């Protein structure tokens, strides 16, 4: 793995990690919340060994990624994440990469495919049920309980925690979303450095508040939001991987989604794995992605 490289898009200076720059195929792996591009390290090494050029960008508000203009709204809305990913792909001239995303990254990759059909050769979504961006979605009481942090961040006290106590706040997610003592302290410290970005708190708060209709969106994404609401059917071959012990997004949230995917669809539940499959079971994740891509004609 090299140090972070940078590429400019219309709005951002996007920092990214890269493996195997001369690979014959490309894969873009997008991290979630609260996490960082390094979450993909082991999976990226495996894909690179299989011949992929692998790129792991830092989302807006994370790590060394920066907004180019101080006047740009620090929006965290999900349509913006999808558009950022398309801008990243365009800036690097990538041709139909494999897109894989975890949590926020899963929403970004799916939205990119919704905004531009044909942009990806394959899509892998981790720990997220597709079509759950709608603020009017039906939620079980158990899932509403799991989303306590969403509701907390809609309050002034939650905003104070995100701005002033971000490491303790995010460590709570790591400690409760997966079973057992699954991570080493240095792994969390590595991820948490990405939260030192000066725009992290504003992007995070806006993302969760906008998702439930508690904050206005950036008018620049009105057209994209219209395309993505309701969730469009995707034509890209898609693999869904969900931890069977995920205590953030219940595995049931990704069930029964087959009708959204017309280009080939597979869903696998990883027994005993929590919300961070690429960290908790990286070899199983890499095996599943490579096998799916081979089947789908990578």
């Amino acid at each position: 793995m090299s140090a972070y490289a940078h590429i400019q898009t219309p709005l951002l200076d996007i920092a990214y990690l890269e493996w195997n720059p001369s690979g014959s195929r490309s894969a873009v792996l997008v991290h979630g919340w609260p996490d960082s591009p390094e979450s993909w390290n082991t999976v990226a090494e495996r894909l690179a060994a299989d011949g992929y050029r692998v790129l792991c960008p830092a989302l807006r508000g994370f790590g060394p990624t920066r907004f180019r203009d101080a006047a740009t709204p620090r929006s965290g809305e999900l349509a913006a994440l999808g558009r950022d990913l398309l801008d990243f792909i365009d800036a690097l001239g990538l041709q139909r990469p494999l897109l894989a995303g975890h949590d926020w990254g899963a929403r970004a990759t799916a939205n990119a495919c919704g905004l531009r059909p044909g942009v990806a050769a394959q899509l892998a979504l981790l720990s997220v049920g597709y079509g759950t961006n709608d603020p009017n979605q039906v939620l079980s009481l158990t899932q509403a309980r799991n989303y306590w942090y969403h509701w907390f961040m809609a309050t002034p006290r939650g905003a104070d925690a995100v701005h002033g106590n971000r490491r303790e706040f995010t460590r709570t997610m790591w400690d409760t979303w997966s079973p057992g003592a699954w991570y080493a302290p240095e792994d969390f410290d590595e991820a948490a450095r990405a939260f030192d970005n000066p725009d992290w708190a504003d992007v995070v708060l806006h993302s969760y508040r906008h998702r439930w209709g508690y904050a206005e969106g950036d008018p620049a994404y009105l057209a994209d939001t219209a395309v993505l609401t309701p969730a469009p059917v995707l034509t890209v071959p898609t693999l869904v991987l969900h931890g069977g012990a995920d205590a953030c997004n219940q595995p049931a949230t990704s069930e029964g989604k087959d009708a959204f995917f017309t280009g080939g669809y597979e869903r696998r539940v990883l027994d005993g794995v929590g919300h961070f499959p690429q960290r908790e079971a990286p070899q199983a994740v890499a095996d599943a992605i490579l096998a799916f891509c081979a089947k789908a004609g990578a």
Side-chain angles (χ1 to χ4, degrees), residues 19 38-47 278-279 282-283 286:
W19 289 256
E38 288 84 2
S39 66
W40 290 104
N41 281 351
T42 302
V43 174
E45 290 168 0
R46 178 75 181 283
L47 296 185
Q278 77 278 29
R279 286 187 177 275
Q283 295 302 336

Side-chain angles (χ1 to χ4, degrees), residues 31-255:
H31 69 88
W33 186 92
D35 215 332
S36 68
E38 288 84 2
S39 66
W40 290 104
N41 281 351
T42 302
V43 174
E45 290 168 0
R46 178 75 181 283
L47 296 185
D50 201 65
Y52 281 91
R53 176 191 183 189
V54 183
L55 306 109
C56 297
L59 293 168
R60 57 169 56 198
F62 289 76
T65 291
R66 295 290 186 273
F67 287 89
R68 296 178 60 188
D69 188 338
T72 301
R74 271 36 178 180
S75 170
E77 59 197 281
L78 301 176
L81 303 184
R83 181 57 59 183
D84 288 347
L85 181 54
L86 291 176
D87 289 343
F88 178 75
I89 290 168
D90 291 345
L92 287 167
L94 304 179
Q95 299 298 315
R96 300 188 72 241
L98 157 68
L99 296 182
H102 169 248
D103 191 84
W104 280 29
R107 300 187 188 278
T109 55
N111 285 348
C113 292
L115 292 171
R116 188 186 297 173
V119 69
Q122 297 89 20
L123 174 65
L125 306 177
L126 277 63
S127 308
V128 164
Y130 183 67
T132 57
N133 297 350
D134 185 349
N136 298 313
Q137 66 184 273
V138 175
L139 281 181
S140 69
L141 291 178
T142 300
Q143 189 58 53
R145 179 196 63 189
N146 291 355
Y147 280 169
W148 70 269
Y149 64 102
H150 290 213
W151 325 130
F152 183 58
M153 283 190 276
T155 69
R157 180 173 293 190
D160 289 345
V162 172
H163 278 286
N165 201 15
R166 63 190 66 182
R167 293 205 176 203
E168 184 176 350
F169 180 57
T170 53
R171 189 181 289 111
T172 299
M173 316 307 163
W174 280 51
D175 287 342
T176 58
W177 284 355
S178 298
W182 66 272
Y183 68 90
E186 57 267 25
D187 294 331
F188 176 79
D189 290 341
E190 178 183 63
R193 285 194 288 272
F195 316 154
D196 293 334
N197 184 301
D199 298 309
W200 184 85
D202 289 339
V203 168
V204 168
L205 289 171
H206 183 263
S207 183
Y208 286 106
R209 290 175 172 184
H210 178 266
R211 196 174 304 185
W212 297 104
Y214 300 134
E216 295 294 324
D218 181 347
Y221 300 105
L222 282 175
D224 286 347
T225 299
V227 172
L228 297 170
T229 310
V233 171
L234 302 182
T235 59
V236 58
T238 301
L239 169 69
V240 170
L241 298 175
H242 210 140
D246 189 334
C248 171
N249 292 322
Q250 289 183 288
T253 61
S254 64
E255 292 177 348

